[in-house]
Amino acid sequence: MKKRKFFSAVMACSMVLALTGCGGNSTTPTTTQAPTTTASQETTTTAATTEASTTTQAQPSGGEAVTLKWAIWDQDATPYWIALKDAYEEKNDNVTIELIDLGSSDYMTVLATQLSGDTSTFDVVTVKDVPGYATLVQKNTIEPLDDYISKANIDLSLYGGATDQIMVDGKLYQLPFRNDFWVLFYNKDLFDKAGVEYPTNDMTFEQYDALARQVSSSDFGSSVYGAHYHTWRSAVQLFGVLDGEHSILSGTYDFFKPYYEMILNQEADGICRSFTNLKTEGLHYSAAFSGGDVAMMNMGSWFISTMISNLQSGDYDSSLCGNWAIAKYPHAEGVEAGSTLGTITGIAVSTGASNKDAAWDFVEFVSGTEGAKVMAETGNFPAIMTSEAMDIISSLDGFPQDEQSKAALEVSNLYLEVPYAENVSEINSILDSYHSSIMSGEMTIDEGIAAMNDAIGKIINK
Amino acid sequence: MSEGKKKEETVQNEALIKGREQKERRRTLVALSFIAPNFIGFAVFTLIPVVFAFVLAFTRWDGSNPIQFAGISNFTKLFSDKFFLAALKNTIIYCIGTVPLTLIASLALAILLNQQICGRGIFRTVAFFPYVASLVAVTAVWKMLFSQSGPVNAILYYVFHVENKDLPQWFVGNLVMVSYILFSVWKFMGYYMVIYLAGLQGISKELYEAASLDGANTWQKFTSITWPQLKPTTFFVSVMLTINCFKVFDVATLLAGGDNNTLTISSTVLVHYIYQKGFIEWDLGYASAVAMVLFLLVLAVTLIQFKGEKNYANS
């Protein structure tokens, strides 16, 4: 009898423990760890203990074995995570960088949710976009880096002004390590076939519009779209911020109007694909450009490495898009050529990091000149754009060989797609939504802009 | 002597009562240990979060910083929020469209597939198939079918000679709700059909035989036997459908969200707006306030339905 009683009590207790224990454990990253990490962790531990006395490098934690958990996305499709990890581990053999892949589609949402539960989930986090950065800062999940920066004597001017646009009340919470900027991709074959001159590195929007119209053709079976705009609002609206006077934080958005007009007119005349079709069919910009019927496409410089690697692997048909090149972004009358949009990817230290100095050392490496070199070697644009990095990229096998494409990499003014502001994620959602409304014809351009002015005006003047 | 006997008896009684009490307690413990796993799970993952959401609706909180009490400001803000009002309107339109249509379609299918027809099993499977198929996959197919130059518009163009410029854009403007409704009816009618089939098989054959003897035609049999006998099933189906319709999120996101999951004024729905406010903009207080409105809406509709059910039971 007593035995049975005891047994049932034990059963009840174990059930309770199993359930509550399960709830508590769900935030620890054990389930997301790659199966190989434990093995590699062990080997580094032994390596570190045997070599600790022999290494004389300036170690962040005195040669003690350190594991840093680093939040990233799409490990298999992105070559630089492993390259940065390897380069750093080679230099600091007591440190193991553990990559934790959160996937790319809703990376910032997943990251913010995990850090809300427990900031020690990660030591180092990659920050994908500025609205996500704003969220992480406001949630106190990433460390201000100013003390570290001044201690390490880092020259922020190397970042070409990008760090000024992500200051939060005079403090910096991330350092950029990757800096993409928008350029004009074009398909030389289509221009040759139409007998039209290639785009140049100094084009006004009028010239660009005329060129798109010249090169496009509606011949059955060989129709050519003069231009292509992806469904992101950046691809259309942000032509307006290149003058340096306007920004998406302005609160009034009438400066978008000429660009909406230009692109909706192009759409009506069949110069570019319709926004609604792109959205419902979910056509990816890479598929559109590599399909060989798009003459010009404005897109970020990240697409350069995609083009190179996919043409080399044979995933893109080189007879359709193999003869490609890039040119500088078109600009408004009176604006300097080479003014373009930028998108930074940053790296930050989590407030819950177990060893903040070690985490900072890694952040400094990735965002500094050494990291920049690693980034360039994988065909990506580092935030510190040295002439060395530029040469590495433009001499990559598969990079367009004409002089103009090389020159197109020189940026005169870089405006972030989304600069920092307190309510930037709310502003971003509103602009996204009304952009869709205008482009799909649910609202006229004037109605859409008036709605943006109204909704965002309320937020800014709050 | 008698006193000693009495004492003995009370001692015996006490022992008996004690034993019974012990037994009782043990039985309760065993019972509780059976309920515990489910209840603890329910409490930790549902009950406590729901109660917490009620509290959150009156606060400002981003999930990390200290919670600030905000009074009813979240609720007053709702009435001047264009996106919330649009989401509310769209969700209600979606429910009004989807609930009756799915009900009729699933009942009709069930009656049809309850007949002795050749290949009944195959047809039942076919009707149930959309419900089993992955939502993501079937929305991709629907988007292709209803795209600007897709098969549906091609039929309108070639068979019905609709002008090219008048061809509908199925996922834009007012039509987007029609697309949601059509899709949902098609996707979910199979499930409710199965419930109706079970209900139909529970109706006694004698009722129909008696009606046939009295010379009732098919329609009369339906209105006087099938429909009244199916009332409890219909009640269950309508409650489940209404609740599920108010919760719509995936259908909207997948059909109209595009690759950055952006819904416009004419395509947004309440749960998507809750998600956007809560987990993209991290305004959990406001998101909870919107969730409260959704809760009250579902509660009100369900209460009305329960009342209707009671009235029916009394009659």
Side-chain angles (χ1 to χ4, degrees), chain A residues 1 4-5 8-9 11-12 15-16 19-20 22-23 106 108-109 112-113 115-117 131 135 137-141 230-233 274 276-277 279-282 284 425-427 429-430 432-434 436-437 440-443 451 454-455 458 462, chain B residues 22 25-26 29-30 33-34 36-38 40-41 44-45 60 62-66 77 80-83 143-144 146-150 169 171-174 176 255-260 262-267 275-277 279-284:
Chain A
M1 284 288 247
R4 260 171 65 187
K5 202 169 167 186
S8 60
M11 278 293 284
M15 280 166 178
V16 172
L19 271 161
T20 48
C22 171
D106 46 6
M108 286 315 298
T109 311
T113 313
L115 289 176
S116 300
T135 302
V137 171
Q138 281 152 21
K139 289 163 87 57
N140 290 322
T141 49
H230 192 52
T231 51
W232 300 329
R233 65 178 178 78
S274 98
T276 318
N277 274 358
K279 204 173 166 185
T280 33
E281 285 162 13
H284 195 255
S425 37
E426 207 177 345
I427 294 173
S429 307
I430 294 170
D432 273 345
S433 178
Y434 286 121
S436 279
S437 296
S440 61
E442 267 175 33
M443 288 179 159
D454 177 53
K458 263 189 219 159
K462 196 161 62 179
Chain B
Q22 266 184 351
R25 209 179 306 144
R26 199 172 57 233
L29 254 176
V30 171
S33 73
F34 277 108
N38 186 28
I40 293 170
V44 171
F45 295 110
R60 277 184 63 85
D62 67 353
S64 298
N65 289 307
K77 212 167 97 187
S80 58
D81 183 345
K82 251 190 195 166
F83 277 95
K143 273 158 77 170
M144 200 202 78
F146 285 83
S147 74
Q148 193 58 24
S149 47
Q169 297 195 325
F171 301 104
V172 172
N174 295 329
V176 72
L255 281 182
D259 65 349
N260 53 356
T262 305
L263 294 181
T264 62
I265 285 269
S266 51
S267 59
Y275 168 74
Q276 184 191 323
K277 280 286 159 193
F279 296 100
I280 304 293
E281 297 168 23
W282 288 94
D283 192 348
L284 291 170

Side-chain angles (χ1 to χ4, degrees), chain B residues 241-259:
Chain B
L241 252 174
T242 313
I243 294 174
N244 283 335
C245 281
F246 276 109
K247 288 197 313 197
V248 62
F249 171 79
D250 39 11
V251 172
T253 303
L254 289 167
L255 281 182
D259 65 349

Side-chain angles (χ1 to χ4, degrees), chain B residues 226-246:
Chain B
T226 316
W227 182 245
Q229 289 285 322
L230 282 178
K231 274 266 170 91
T233 317
T234 306
F235 170 69
F236 173 75
V237 167
S238 64
V239 170
M240 292 314 289
L241 252 174
T242 313
I243 294 174
N244 283 335
C245 281
F246 276 109

Side-chain angles (χ1 to χ4, degrees), chain A residues 317-344:
Chain A
D317 185 347
S318 60
S319 67
L320 292 177
C321 64
N323 199 8
W324 62 287
I326 54 172
K328 284 183 181 175
Y329 227 47
H331 57 85
E333 199 79 58
V335 173
E336 193 183 348
S339 302
T340 188
L341 300 169
T343 305
I344 54 166

Side-chain angles (χ1 to χ4, degrees), chain A residues 66-86:
Chain A
V66 177
T67 302
L68 294 175
K69 284 174 286 180
W70 184 20
I72 55 145
W73 60 86
D74 284 0
Q75 187 179 334
D76 295 333
T78 319
Y80 53 79
W81 305 125
I82 290 281
L84 288 166
K85 166 189 154 86
D86 289 346

Side-chain angles (χ1 to χ4, degrees), chain A residues 103-293:
Chain A
S104 73
S105 55
D106 46 6
Y107 172 81
M108 286 315 298
T109 311
V110 176
L111 179 66
T113 313
Q114 293 219 11
L115 289 176
S116 300
D118 181 7
T119 47
S120 65
T121 314
F122 304 107
D123 299 295
V124 180
V125 298
T126 321
V127 185
K128 201 176 184 189
D129 53 35
V130 178
Y133 169 67
T135 302
L136 294 184
V137 171
Q138 281 152 21
K139 289 163 87 57
N140 290 322
T141 49
I142 51 178
E143 284 279 311
L145 301 176
D146 303 77
D147 291 344
Y148 295 109
I149 291 170
S150 58
K151 225 184 272 171
N153 272 327
I154 292 173
D155 179 10
L156 290 180
S157 68
L158 288 174
Y159 295 99
T163 47
D164 298 337
Q165 297 177 59
I166 48 167
M167 286 280 184
V168 182
D169 301 327
K171 283 188 190 158
L172 200 58
Y173 290 77
Q174 66 167 350
L175 278 176
F177 70 97
R178 179 174 163 185
N179 191 350
D180 285 295
F181 51 92
W182 287 59
V183 290
L184 194 66
F185 289 81
Y186 64 96
N187 190 328
K188 284 180 167 178
D189 287 345
L190 297 180
F191 282 89
D192 291 342
K193 210 162 73 183
V196 180
E197 289 283 308
Y198 297 147
T200 67
N201 273 347
D202 188 356
M203 272 192 303
T204 63
F205 282 111
E206 288 73 31
Q207 291 167 328
Y208 163 77
D209 186 37
L211 198 62
R213 287 168 182 277
Q214 272 178 352
V215 73
S216 73
S217 126
S218 54
D219 296 344
F220 187 78
S222 63
S223 64
V224 168
Y225 293 102
H228 182 84
Y229 306 94
H230 192 52
T231 51
W232 300 329
R233 65 178 178 78
S234 297
V236 176
Q237 281 180 352
L238 296 190
F239 284 138
V241 306
L242 300 178
D243 58 7
E245 290 164 24
H246 298 99
S247 125
I248 64 149
L249 308 175
S250 302
T252 51
Y253 299 95
D254 303 281
F255 62 91
F256 289 162
K257 194 176 176 183
Y259 306 102
Y260 274 122
E261 278 172 347
M262 176 176 89
I263 287 152
L264 287 174
N265 284 336
Q266 286 187 356
E267 204 182 292
D269 298 339
I271 308 298
C272 61
R273 282 192 169 88
S274 98
F275 174 89
T276 318
N277 274 358
L278 288 177
K279 204 173 166 185
T280 33
E281 285 162 13
L283 184 70
H284 195 255
Y285 60 85
S286 60
F289 189 75
S290 62
D293 61 352

Side-chain angles (χ1 to χ4, degrees), chain A residues 299-359:
Chain A
M299 188 41 66
S301 52
W302 57 81
F303 189 48
I304 293 175
S305 62
T306 314
M307 282 298 288
I308 293 176
S309 63
N310 282 300
L311 279 167
Q312 275 167 357
S313 67
D315 287 337
Y316 292 170
D317 185 347
S318 60
S319 67
L320 292 177
C321 64
N323 199 8
W324 62 287
I326 54 172
K328 284 183 181 175
Y329 227 47
H331 57 85
E333 199 79 58
V335 173
E336 193 183 348
S339 302
T340 188
L341 300 169
T343 305
I344 54 166
T345 312
I347 181 163
V349 176
S350 149
T351 44
S354 49
N355 189 337
K356 283 183 190 157
D357 290 328

